[in-house]
Amino acid sequence: MMIQTNIVRDMDECLDLLIDKQQIVGMYQGSSEIGPRALGNRSIIFDPRLWNAKQIVNDVKQREEYRPFACTVLKENANEYFHMLQLEEHGSPYMSFAIQAREKAYKEIPSLVHADGTCRIQTVTEEQNPVYYNLIKKFGERTGTPILFNTSFNLGGEALVESVFDAIDTCNRSMINQLYIPEEEGDVYIPFECIKFKSADSDDYENKFSES
Amino acid sequence: MEILAVNTSHDTSIVTFHDGEVTNVFEEARHRRDKHWTPSPDEAELITLSQRGLHKPDHLIFTSFDRRGLDFTFSDEVRQDRLLARDIIGAFAQTQLTRTRIEEIMEDFNVDKDNPRISVQENNIDADEIINHAIASQLEMNEYVFDLEHHLYHAECGYYFSPWYDKNEDVIAITWDGGGAQRHHSTHPNYQEIESIYYIQGKETEPKLQWQRLSNSRSLGDAKGGTFDNELESCLHCPEDLETTIEGVPSVFTSQPSMGMNFSNLSAALGCEKMGRAPGKVMGMASYAGVPIMDKVHTRHTVAQRCELDALEHSCDIIQRALDMNPDCKRIVLSGGYSLNCTNNYKYMERFPEVTFFVDPAASDAGTAVGASLNLARLLNNETGESE
């Protein structure tokens, strides 16, 4: 079967893909983040509740199996899931701390809790990143877990994507089939030739992990 | 006032500073699609400048990790005479190196001036200037600032992004890095700054350097094995640290690699990544030490955990030192590449519950361009009163 990268503009449609179809989604909006962490503008997002979410994304990103993943949580919910210690006031907006998980995190997002019981988290507020905040908030309203699996929008060993062309190119070369560019971004120019067909047969993660 | 700041070390970045604000940060690696890209004298033009349409600014500043170095060469006589070589190694290992000490050693051993047993050569002395000049030409600039303040710029960047900058509150800034600039190369050759403690009183005040550790470990090469040549090369290694004062600042000269370099070397040695610049992977491995499911690579994980624990103790010592120097300040900004160690960042909070920590989001060298632009703006304001 041959497929194209699907570009999604509507937030509810993006949530349907994440929750109902359990798809990996590339998220592209606004300016890129400075530094090594993806903070919701150049991110790959996924449903963190899946028990094998880490295995799936490690495979898609071609990363080593022992490497942990990060997540983004609404700042107001962070202390329910993680021992925030002195970070309660300012949060962890730049994903700089691997924070000890609480029981609730072990239960709801098991694959994101690393072998040492920590998770490298980003807290987000509406002021910091309104679209990303509202996406996670709505995800929380529908699932009961106000957290998204968040990893940098790149493949193993590559630089983070910068332009929308880089984003689509990364999708074209991987099993990431969905690209969310929020409608708040306005019109986005994407040349037709940028969208390529790719094979989606036995390598597709939906098939690959369906029996897991 | 418009300032363009360019970091020419790895994670090359360009910062635009306008009317007192950092307005944009661009990372060359992302535009090139080449992670950690670094310019060299052969390839120094930045595609970001043209892609982003960046024009000639009022002021241009460069920052770098410093490419200079002092190379030692040993004659065949030394290589063939083990006893002589042992004497030379002993002389080098007696104390941490200074230019004066090198001259003494050369004097003692180079009896025949026409056939020196040891020769020393400045290496890469112009590399930074060639790169800076090429980039300045792209911007049609004839003048620019180039200052070897790698750690200071890390600290400034961390403070800028912290919640305390806008409130103009004082902080302790700790920069710990793989390496930095060789700020004292003229007297203590080959030593790069690896750990620095600054006190920053507020955004209008120049950060005050309070303590620094400098390492010459770059001379040791990357664990090349136990050949005789490498043994000679490692004669720069002195087991004892030298504690002294440089320009009024307590300073420690060491032959130990920095925590960041330890992690990078370990990362390469454990087969995590051939380039080695992946301490995050080492931390990921360390977490699995003793976990039965990972038995097949148990040794790697245990070694990684040992490294992590050693680094934790070392870094807690530095934090304690910083707090002792500034007992009234409980706000600490961490910057430099080693701050990307998220696992230990959390453990500092457990060890020092009275302290609030902030970690620079641009702790890699990309952030140094942010710090350089802020530093230059302050300097211009103070010296000339140039309006922002």
Side-chain angles (χ1 to χ4, degrees):
Chain A
M1 185 175 71
M2 301 295 283
I3 61 165
Q4 284 179 319
T5 300
N6 179 37
I7 296 175
V8 184
R9 306 300 308 270
D10 180 64
M11 187 180 285
D12 289 324
E13 199 181 331
C14 175
L15 288 164
D16 290 343
L17 290 168
L18 287 166
I19 299 166
D20 301 333
K21 298 189 177 171
Q22 295 181 340
Q23 293 272 306
I24 294 175
V25 177
M27 181 164 178
Y28 182 96
Q29 62 161 337
S31 304
S32 55
E33 304 89 342
I34 179 178
R37 311 288 183 220
L39 303 171
N41 284 22
R42 302 289 187 277
S43 288
I44 292 170
I45 52 176
F46 195 41
D47 187 341
R49 299 169 305 152
L50 299 175
W51 69 272
N52 57 350
K54 176 183 154 185
Q55 184 195 350
I56 293 171
V57 181
N58 257 337
D59 200 76
V60 169
K61 287 193 69 175
Q62 300 146 31
R63 284 168 32 127
E64 297 84 348
E65 80 277 12
Y66 55 79
R67 293 178 63 189
F69 274 111
C71 69
T72 310
V73 57
L74 300 185
K75 188 180 168 222
E76 58 265 36
N77 298 111
N79 210 32
E80 296 168 29
Y81 289 87
F82 305 99
H83 294 277
M84 296 297 286
L85 304 183
Q86 297 96 304
L87 296 175
E88 262 198 86
E89 184 187 350
H90 297 298
S92 173
Y94 302 115
M95 216 183 256
S96 310
F97 300 87
I99 299 179
Q100 206 65 40
R102 290 184 190 273
E103 191 70 24
K104 198 171 181 182
Y106 280 94
K107 282 182 182 165
E108 292 185 25
I109 51 167
S111 82
L112 279 176
V113 180
H114 194 42
D116 60 357
T118 65
C119 182
R120 182 158 49 85
I121 72 162
Q122 172 201 1
T123 58
V124 67
T125 63
E126 187 161 23
E127 190 188 2
Q128 286 161 355
N129 195 333
V131 172
Y132 195 39
Y133 174 87
N134 283 310
L135 180 74
I136 300 171
K137 192 175 180 192
K138 284 189 172 184
F139 184 89
E141 286 166 0
R142 283 178 59 174
T143 64
T145 304
I147 298 172
L148 272 181
F149 190 117
N150 174 13
T151 182
S152 52
F153 199 160
N154 60 349
L155 301 179
E158 294 182 358
L160 258 78
V161 302
E162 176 66 30
S163 68
V164 73
F165 309 110
D166 302 333
I168 294 171
D169 177 57
T170 301
C171 293
N172 287 340
R173 291 182 293 109
S174 69
M175 291 185 277
I176 304 163
N177 301 331
Q178 311 293 340
L179 178 60
Y180 174 45
I181 307 175
E183 54 197 3
E184 287 82 350
E185 288 296 298
D187 293 337
V188 178
Y189 171 68
I190 300 170
F192 178 73
E193 58 272 22
C194 188
I195 306 284
K196 293 178 180 164
F197 285 98
K198 61 182 175 180
S199 171
D201 41 37
S202 60
D203 283 340
D204 190 88
Y205 71 86
E206 288 169 63
N207 301 320
K208 191 168 181 176
F209 293 97
S210 59
E211 292 176 7
S212 303
Chain B
M1 175 174 61
E2 279 189 332
I3 294 173
L4 197 80
V6 182
N7 156 49
T8 62
S9 69
H10 56 80
D11 302 305
T12 297
S13 56
I14 299 108
V15 164
T16 57
F17 183 95
H18 187 66
D19 289 341
E21 293 285 334
V22 172
T23 45
N24 282 298
V25 184
F26 305 107
E27 294 189 48
E28 181 78 2
R30 297 194 188 187
H31 288 75
R32 286 180 180 262
R33 315 290 309 126
D34 187 355
K35 203 171 184 179
H36 303 309
W37 183 82
T38 315
S40 65
D42 296 334
E43 190 186 16
E45 288 195 359
L46 303 183
I47 62 172
T48 311
L49 296 179
S50 46
Q51 278 191 4
R52 292 291 180 163
L54 298 176
H55 302 297
K56 188 176 177 177
D58 298 324
H59 303 280
L60 176 63
I61 180 168
F62 289 102
T63 168
S64 161
F65 56 27
D66 199 347
R67 292 169 170 82
R68 292 174 301 177
L70 209 58
D71 283 348
F72 293 83
T73 316
F74 301 94
S75 68
D76 285 343
E77 185 194 349
V78 179
R79 291 171 199 285
Q80 287 156 12
D81 186 342
R82 289 267 175 161
L83 289 175
L84 175 62
R86 193 58 57 190
D87 286 347
I88 292 174
I89 289 169
F92 273 107
Q94 220 170 57
T95 177
Q96 296 291 337
L97 285 184
T98 60
R99 295 264 179 189
T100 315
R101 179 68 189 142
I102 291 169
E103 279 173 21
E104 284 171 8
I105 294 171
M106 303 276 277
E107 182 87 15
D108 289 347
F109 287 96
N110 285 348
V111 185
D112 182 353
K113 302 293 177 197
D114 295 331
N115 293 300
R117 289 162 166 170
I118 312 162
S119 50
V120 60
Q121 192 180 6
E122 290 281 358
N123 192 18
N124 273 339
I125 195 155
D126 296 325
D128 281 311
E129 284 299 345
I130 293 169
I131 292 167
N132 295 347
H133 182 74
I135 296 169
S137 300
Q138 245 187 300
L139 288 160
E140 299 174 354
M141 295 283 285
N142 296 321
E143 290 184 2
Y144 53 82
V145 180
F146 177 45
D147 213 348
L148 292 171
E149 288 286 5
H150 191 81
H151 275 199
L152 171 68
Y153 298 154
H154 269 307
E156 292 246 31
C157 176
Y159 180 51
Y160 177 73
F161 286 114
S162 79
W164 306 304
Y165 181 82
D166 285 338
K167 297 175 190 165
N168 207 19
E169 291 182 297
D170 66 332
V171 300
I172 299 165
I174 298 175
T175 302
W176 37 38
D177 212 356
Q182 298 175 55
R183 297 170 60 245
H184 307 294
H185 191 62
S186 57
T187 53
H188 299 72
N190 286 9
Y191 291 87
Q192 293 184 304
E193 49 193 352
I194 56 171
E195 290 144 9
S196 309
I197 298 172
Y198 296 88
Y199 175 67
I200 305 181
Q201 197 173 15
K203 55 185 172 184
E204 307 299 336
T205 321
E206 183 76 5
K208 184 177 185 299
L209 177 63
Q210 295 183 312
W211 178 85
Q212 60 185 341
R213 192 196 307 270
L214 303 106
S215 167
N216 67 355
S217 67
R218 199 168 69 166
S219 312
L220 305 180
D222 291 328
K224 290 172 190 166
T227 68
F228 190 57
D229 276 4
N230 290 332
E231 199 178 341
L232 280 172
E233 194 177 322
S234 71
C235 71
L236 295 171
H237 180 102
C238 174
E240 299 297 325
D241 287 355
L242 171 67
E243 295 203 21
T244 183
T245 302
I246 303 284
E247 294 166 9
V249 177
S251 307
V252 181
F253 289 86
T254 182
S255 300
Q256 298 300 320
S258 66
M259 294 181 288
M261 284 308 293
N262 264 338
F263 272 78
S264 290
N265 289 338
L266 188 59
S267 172
L270 295 177
C272 297
E273 189 165 304
K274 60 183 176 185
M275 291 299 289
R277 198 179 294 126
K281 292 188 181 185
V282 176
M283 299 309 291
M285 294 183 81
S287 309
Y288 282 102
V291 177
I293 198 170
M294 300 303 289
D295 266 350
K296 60 180 178 179
V297 281
H298 185 76
T299 308
R300 293 201 300 169
H301 294 249
T302 307
V303 169
Q305 189 190 46
R306 188 68 254 160
C307 184
E308 175 201 341
L309 293 175
D310 286 349
L312 176 66
E313 293 309 320
H314 182 75
S315 35
C316 283
D317 285 348
I318 296 171
I319 292 169
Q320 189 59 58
R321 180 187 292 271
L323 290 169
D324 290 344
M325 286 174 158
N326 306 281
D328 295 330
C329 186
K330 302 296 179 201
R331 293 175 286 276
I332 293 185
V333 171
L334 303 177
S335 190
Y338 185 70
S339 306
L340 296 170
N341 187 330
C342 302
T343 306
N344 283 357
N345 288 348
Y346 185 75
K347 290 177 181 170
Y348 308 145
M349 293 200 297
E350 293 176 318
R351 291 275 186 103
F352 300 95
E354 75 283 10
V355 176
T356 310
F357 289 92
F358 177 81
V359 180
D360 181 1
S364 66
D365 282 3
T368 56
V370 174
S373 68
L374 293 164
N375 194 270
L376 181 60
R378 187 190 304 112
L379 190 74
L380 291 168
N381 261 341
N382 291 345
E383 282 188 355
T384 65
E386 187 171 346
S387 171
E388 290 185 350

